[in-house]
Amino acid sequence: MTERPPIAAIVALGLTQIIGYGTLYYSFSILAPGMSRDLGWPPEAAFGALSVALLIGGFTAPALGKWIDRFGAGRIMTVGSAIAAAALTACALVPGRISFVVALIGIEIASNLVQYGAAFALLVQIRPQAAQRSITYLTLIGGFASTIFWPITTMLHAEMSWQQVYLVFAGLNLLICLPIHAVLSRKMRCNRERSGKASPAKRVEGTLAASARRTGFVLMALSFSLQSLVSSAILVHMVPVLSGLGLGATAALVGTFFGPSQVLSRFTNMLFGGNLPPLKLAIIAAMLMAAAVFLLIPTAPSVVGAIAFAVVFGLGNGLFSIVTGTLPLMLFGSDGYGKLQGRVMAARLIVSATAPFALAYMMGAIGVVWSLALTSAAGGLAVLVLAAIGRLATNVYASEMKAGEAASAT
């Protein structure tokens, strides 16, 4: 009998994901100008500090993944909420630039402990066989983080300093997220004590054979890194890119179509994509993202073309968030899922930290159009790498079948 998704846990985690992404990620772009001004930095320096923090956070991700497997994702997320509250508080109270960067690194480490990577692992640990659907439901809820927290942050910042806003956000992590994660952790431990060790039937077996897993992981990490490069570079520079293509004041308006499109793609997948394998969904996501970026080149400066880009890119990026959780589970199974997520997250975060600078450099050196062409090509390469994973699985299966037939014949 197929396991049902743990709806109560998904809703609770969805709330913590909205708060986690809203306070630790989406609020930064709104508060960054005030941070730079108070620290005596040029306007772009705060984003440079964020990139350094993302880079260091990426290097810590593999160790965090191992802790998730060893201690349980619930405990790690509980500790992560405490670290998030402490890091946000420290960021608000630090006296100088160096201590600010250190506090920002703490925020990025906390993000790895409480956001999607850890939440996906918790859903896998709660009910492995229902995890793919659970991850889809969770990303649907989490997709509202930007829609909710961009206006909330703007409203708060109109009345408070950025330091006071961060103190409010520290309270949200401490008073809402930490108790939720603690309750989920305790419930998971109680369930394990009542039922004993999970039976083999509760585990999810990966579809990749043992002999193909090393190559499969490299290909998967490469494809996710390429997609993260496209996503991070375009999202950070969306308004400057559109402005550079001649869209002027309408550039910011076009960007508002992105968020709803992400939610739409996740909702559509939840309703109609239940039988679609994660590898095919990953290929669709990569194709949509690459096509969206390329679409800007022949249509600029058309507003209709730019809106089409934002919608298609949002659809692809929304699906990409799902497959980062479901594809590793399908290919490699539920055993060691936290460690696997940590290794993949490291590659993605390192690329995400450097991608915005790379695109900014290319736009200055070779222009917006050629920069978009190369970015789209990176997305197209991700499609080819994902297709190679499918061929790898097919070739290994065919080889094993031939070996079995040969053994039977002898």
Side-chain angles (χ1 to χ4, degrees):
M1 183 176 178
T2 305
E3 283 187 311
R4 296 177 59 187
I7 299 301
I10 292 169
V11 172
L13 274 177
L15 176 59
T16 70
Q17 292 307 289
I18 289 173
I19 294 174
Y21 275 96
T23 61
L24 302 175
Y25 181 71
Y26 287 114
S27 65
F28 188 85
S29 61
I30 296 171
L31 302 177
M35 295 173 179
S36 295
R37 183 182 61 252
D38 289 350
L39 292 167
W41 277 343
E44 67 277 6
F47 290 98
L50 178 64
S51 293
V52 171
L54 280 168
L55 195 62
I56 295 174
F59 288 121
T60 66
L64 301 180
K66 292 179 183 178
W67 294 347
I68 286 173
D69 284 336
R70 182 176 178 183
F71 301 109
R75 287 181 177 177
I76 294 301
M77 295 187 79
T78 303
V79 173
S81 294
I83 295 174
L88 286 166
T89 301
C91 215
L93 300 179
V94 292
R97 300 175 180 180
I98 295 176
S99 51
F100 174 83
V101 174
V102 172
L104 204 57
I105 292 170
I107 288 177
E108 294 309 318
I109 292 174
S111 297
N112 293 340
L113 296 174
V114 299
Q115 291 177 350
Y116 276 154
F120 292 164
L122 180 56
L123 292 175
V124 170
Q125 291 173 358
I126 291 173
R127 290 185 190 169
Q129 293 180 338
Q132 289 195 15
R133 281 185 296 159
S134 300
I135 288 170
T136 300
Y137 298 159
L138 180 64
T139 56
L140 177 64
I141 300 172
F144 290 98
S146 60
T147 306
I148 293 172
F149 265 86
W150 274 336
I152 285 177
T153 306
T154 301
M155 290 169 57
L156 289 174
H157 196 31
E159 303 295 331
M160 305 176 178
S161 67
W162 67 267
Q163 292 96 331
Q164 292 170 326
V165 174
Y166 259 11
L167 290 175
V168 172
F169 288 169
L172 293 179
N173 281 275
L174 187 65
L175 300 177
I176 298 177
C177 295
L178 189 149
I180 289 175
H181 293 152
V183 169
L184 290 173
S185 178
R186 187 171 66 251
K187 282 188 175 181
M188 202 168 80
R189 289 200 304 272
C190 291
N191 290 340
R192 284 182 175 178
E193 289 171 1
R194 282 197 300 265
S195 60
K197 290 186 177 180
S199 63
K202 294 294 184 182
R203 297 166 61 247
V204 173
E205 297 290 345
T207 57
L208 274 184
S211 59
R213 292 198 168 190
R214 181 182 293 274
T215 303
F217 173 79
V218 171
L219 291 173
M220 184 184 71
L222 176 59
S223 68
F224 283 176
S225 296
L226 287 167
Q227 287 174 271
S228 292
L229 183 151
V230 176
S231 177
S232 178
I234 294 298
L235 288 179
V236 170
H237 293 289
M238 184 177 290
V239 173
V241 164
L242 294 175
S243 299
L245 292 172
L247 284 151
T250 60
L253 176 64
V254 168
T256 62
F257 286 87
F258 170 78
S261 298
Q262 280 198 121
V263 176
L264 176 63
S265 68
R266 293 168 184 171
F267 185 69
T268 303
N269 179 67
M270 183 184 72
L271 292 180
F272 306 110
N275 296 321
L276 189 65
L279 183 57
K280 290 185 178 179
L281 192 66
I283 291 173
I284 292 171
M287 290 176 66
L288 287 171
M289 292 169 71
V293 176
F294 184 79
L295 186 63
L296 279 174
I297 299 174
T299 61
S302 165
V303 174
V304 174
I307 291 174
F309 147 75
V311 170
V312 175
F313 194 77
L315 293 173
N317 202 67
L319 296 178
F320 178 51
S321 298
I322 297 174
V323 298
T324 56
T326 58
L327 185 59
L329 181 64
M330 184 201 81
L331 294 177
F332 304 100
S334 57
D335 287 347
Y337 181 84
K339 177 182 177 182
L340 187 71
Q341 275 286 358
R343 292 167 64 193
V344 173
M345 198 187 307
R348 290 183 56 207
L349 286 174
I350 291 169
V351 170
S352 297
T354 56
F357 283 105
L359 182 59
Y361 175 80
M362 287 195 300
M363 286 193 296
I366 60 177
V368 175
V369 172
W370 279 106
S371 299
L372 289 175
L374 290 175
T375 304
S376 178
L381 181 58
V383 175
L384 297 178
V385 174
L386 288 166
I389 295 175
R391 289 196 298 272
L392 174 68
T394 302
N395 292 340
V396 170
Y397 177 76
S399 299
E400 290 183 346
M401 288 294 291
K402 287 180 181 179
E405 291 172 359
S408 298
T410 56

